[in-house]
Amino acid sequence: MPRLEGKIALITGAASGIGAATAALFAAEGAAGLVLTDLRPEALAAVAAPLGERVVALAHDVTREEDWRCAADEAVARFGRLDVVVNCAGIALPGDIEQTTLADWRATQAVNSDGVFLGCREAVRVMKEGGRGGAIVNISSVAGMIGDPKLAAYCASKGAARLLTKSVALHCARRGYKIRCNSVHPSFAATPMVEAMIARSRSPERTREGLAHASPLGRMAAPEEIAAAVLFLASDESAFITGAELAVDGGLTAA
Ligand code: NAD
């Protein structure tokens, strides 16, 4: 049986990288409806087009409360309910504590922290209706578990997503909403976000090598390998898992 048979899912940041890989995997695993959202409607349309008719592509800025309300309401209007929300949209602006400007700090928190907060709040609003429940999967990072001196704002934002996940999980459990909330913590995955970081570096080939060897498995992840973990946490296979953090990091945080 397909692992997401009958489920309606919303995925943010679906135009690229991990979000796009998750969208393709969810479609292949029998999702009955997909609401794919991103800031970039053209790139999103290209991801959505091959995935069939039960896919809606929406322009959506995750930092905007009103956009979130529209996206969640659109999912319910089109498919009748929402079973899964994947908060995947994110940005990474490099900088240590001495270099990071307040503007970069705020931009990072707006997407990676405020965006996940708004996504969780909307998910709970919609999923608790009728007692159906659902699953929220927040894409944090290994940078939400351990520090990286060159990513001050990013680490803070991903740490916020990690602990917000646990707070949401406990609230929903106590209220009996049947809503699970878990976080996924990738290390370096070969996506446009990381490729841009490599291209910006002084020695791209050395940087690529360094990122590969940051993980004990000696390579970067493929976006599909992160999507596989998201699928598990979105599906009923993880029915007894909530408030958990799943590192998909080739062993990086085991050391
Ligand atoms: P990506 O840049 O390929 O994709 C991110 C997507 O988010 C883009 O399509 C972008 O348009 C969208 N986005 C950015 N700001 C947005 C906003 N305000 N509203 C809506 N959409 C917005 O990056 P990715 O590598 O696929 O990253 C996906 C998630 O995984 C991010 O949260 C990232 O922090 C996290 N992550 C990635 C890695 C990695 O190595 N690639 C590692 C750890 C965590």
Side-chain angles (χ1 to χ4, degrees), residues 11-245:
I11 304 166
T12 71
S16 176
I18 294 167
T22 302
L25 185 58
F26 278 21
E29 288 293 344
L34 285 179
V35 179
L36 307 183
T37 85
D38 203 283
L39 266 187
R40 299 177 300 127
E42 281 176 19
L44 186 64
V47 169
L51 301 183
E53 280 174 12
R54 293 186 64 79
V55 178
V56 176
L58 287 183
H60 172 205
D61 181 345
V62 297
T63 69
R64 292 171 57 92
E65 200 167 18
E66 53 279 28
D67 279 21
W68 262 111
R69 181 55 68 114
C70 291
D73 286 348
E74 176 72 22
V76 175
R78 174 74 194 264
F79 297 114
R81 63 181 199 282
L82 194 49
D83 303 305
V84 175
V85 169
V86 181
N87 287 303
C88 187
I91 59 171
L93 303 177
D96 63 33
I97 185 59
E98 297 189 78
Q99 297 160 334
T100 300
T101 63
L102 184 56
D104 279 1
W105 170 271
R106 285 184 172 153
T108 305
Q109 310 314 320
V111 181
N112 299 357
S113 176
D114 300 359
V116 175
F117 154 68
L118 291 170
C120 289
R121 205 179 63 183
E122 279 305 303
V124 171
R125 176 179 72 85
V126 173
M127 289 174 180
K128 73 179 188 185
E129 285 303 313
R132 279 187 307 268
I136 304 168
V137 184
N138 295 329
I139 310 302
S140 176
S141 168
V142 290
M145 303 167 90
I146 56 174
D148 181 329
K150 295 181 186 154
L151 289 171
Y154 187 74
C155 283
S157 69
K158 293 298 185 180
R162 170 174 171 252
L163 280 182
L164 173 70
T165 298
K166 297 180 194 304
S167 176
V168 172
L170 292 175
H171 172 76
C172 292
R174 283 181 190 160
R175 290 291 171 96
Y177 288 161
K178 299 187 200 148
I179 301 171
R180 300 181 297 105
C181 186
N182 293 292
S183 55
V184 171
H185 300 260
S187 57
F188 298 107
T191 68
M193 177 188 277
V194 167
E195 290 299 337
M197 200 169 93
I198 292 172
R200 273 196 313 266
S201 69
R202 248 177 280 158
S203 169
E205 271 326 299
R206 278 235 318 267
T207 305
R208 186 182 298 283
E209 191 70 5
L211 296 186
H213 286 97
S215 99
L217 289 185
R219 62 175 177 84
M220 287 198 275
E224 291 74 17
E225 292 175 301
I226 314 299
V230 179
L231 171 65
F232 169 66
L233 292 172
S235 76
D236 294 338
E237 293 161 16
S238 58
F240 201 56
I241 300 179
T242 194
E245 50 194 63

